[in-house]
Amino acid sequence: MATASGPTVRKRQLGAELRRLRESAGKKIEDVAEHLECSMSKISRVETGQAPIKARDVRELLAWFGVEDPLQVEAVMQIHKDAQQQGWWAHYEEVLPSGMATYAGLESDAVALRAYEPIFVHGLLQTEDYARAVIAAVRPGEPEEVERLVRFRVQRQDLLSRRPDPLELWVVVEEAALRRPVGGKEVMAAQIKHLIHAAALPNVTIQVMPTAKGAHAAMAGTFALMEFGTKAPTIVYVDSIAGNVYLEKERDVRKFIQTFDLVRAAGPDPQDTPAILENIAREMHQI
C-alpha cells in the first residue's frame, strides 16, 4: 500500500517545507548555502527533494529560520527521518540509469499513473521477455546488468496488485509501438496476450491509438502524470534520450493533464482494446 511515508515523496515534502520556512524567514538560497557552507545548487536540490540533507543541518536551519514551536520542529524532523528510509529499488541503484531511482520512488508512492507511450509498451505492462529485448537493445554487451534491470522492471509491476490499494494505471499506447516486433514475433504475441489480460484488471485501462488517427495532441513524446492523492501535488515525468525531467509547477502540470485528456478522448473506447489487440496479433503472425 502506498503511504504518506514513502521516502521519495517524503524527501519532496521535506524540501518543500524547508523552502516555505526559508521564504517566510526572508532568506534566499544563497543565504542558506553560505550558512551551511555548501553550494547553492545543493540547497536547490534539497528543496526539490533531489538531494539528502543531514539531520543536524535540518535542526540548524529550523533554528536559523526562527522555528521555535517544538511540535513543528518534531514534525519536520519526523519527515526527515521517514525520508531516510530505503525503498526496494535501492538494491538496483548501481545499474539503474540516471534518475530512474527517483522515478521508481515516485511511482511506488503514487496512487494513480496516466501515461502516453509512443514507442514502447509501458514498463508496468511489459512481459519479462519483452523487457529483456528492450533493455538489451539499449545496453548491448552487458548481460548481467540487463538481467538485473529486467528483475527491477518486473518488480515494479507489483504495484498493480498491491493490497489494499493497487495503483490505478491508464496508458495510451501507439499502435505502431505494438507492431514493432521487439524480441521477435513470438515475444510480441506473448506481450499482446499479456496486455489483453492486463486490460481486464479493474485498476488498469489501456487504449491503443490507431496510426490512422494521424496527428494528435501528445505527439511531442513520452510522458506520465503521477498522482499522490492528498499526500503531494501531481508530478509530470517527461522522458527523452537527452534526460528525464520532472515538472511540478501548476501551469505545467495543467498543460499535461489537458494533453492527456485530449489524447485519450481522441483514442478508441477502452472497451475495444481487447479486439484491437487481437487484430494486431493476428496480422503480425501473418507477416
Side-chain angles (χ1 to χ4, degrees), residues 6-215:
T8 304
V9 164
R10 287 306 236 183
K11 285 178 183 176
R12 287 177 176 259
Q13 289 177 329
L14 175 64
E17 181 63 7
L18 291 176
R19 180 174 63 247
R20 185 187 70 80
L21 292 171
R22 171 180 63 77
E23 292 171 348
S24 295
K27 308 290 187 183
K28 298 180 180 179
I29 286 181
E30 50 264 44
D31 298 329
V32 178
E34 182 178 354
H35 188 75
L36 293 182
E37 298 182 344
C38 65
S39 67
M40 289 174 55
S41 64
K42 169 67 181 292
I43 300 304
S44 179
R45 286 183 289 117
V46 166
E47 292 189 353
T48 56
Q50 299 178 58
I53 182 171
K54 295 178 180 178
R56 67 170 181 267
D57 287 340
V58 175
R59 288 192 180 276
E60 170 63 23
L61 288 179
L62 293 178
W64 191 49
F65 293 156
V67 180
E68 300 178 349
D69 183 348
L71 292 178
Q72 186 178 7
V73 171
E74 184 58 32
V76 175
M77 296 310 300
Q78 184 62 50
I79 295 175
H80 178 272
K81 181 179 178 181
D82 292 341
Q84 306 315 300
Q85 299 173 4
Q86 280 199 331
W88 62 265
W89 54 90
H91 300 294
Y92 299 96
E93 284 200 59
E94 63 188 49
V95 297
L96 292 180
S98 177
M100 193 61 205
T102 298
Y103 178 87
L106 291 170
E107 186 180 69
S108 293
D109 286 334
V111 298
L113 190 152
R114 292 177 281 170
Y116 168 67
E117 290 286 348
I119 301 174
F120 301 116
V121 172
H122 192 277
L124 293 178
L125 299 173
Q126 293 180 6
T127 65
E128 187 172 324
D129 286 338
Y130 181 96
R132 183 174 292 107
V134 170
I135 296 168
V138 297
R139 300 188 77 148
E142 303 175 6
E144 292 184 5
E145 291 191 3
V146 167
E147 289 306 311
R148 291 193 67 189
L149 288 169
V150 170
R151 291 197 296 274
F152 164 76
R153 189 161 298 184
V154 170
Q155 191 168 348
R156 282 171 53 200
Q157 297 173 9
D158 290 344
L159 293 171
L160 298 179
S161 58
R162 72 184 175 196
R163 293 292 180 262
D165 300 307
L167 178 70
E168 295 284 339
L169 178 66
W170 189 312
V171 174
V172 179
V173 58
E174 288 287 345
E175 177 186 352
L178 301 179
R179 292 188 179 276
R180 183 185 300 275
V182 174
K185 290 196 295 184
E186 295 303 318
V187 169
M188 282 308 302
Q191 176 62 74
I192 291 175
K193 183 177 180 180
H194 179 69
L195 290 175
I196 293 172
H197 290 157
L201 295 174
N203 56 307
V204 176
T205 301
I206 301 172
Q207 287 179 283
V208 180
M209 180 62 71
T211 303
K213 278 286 185 179

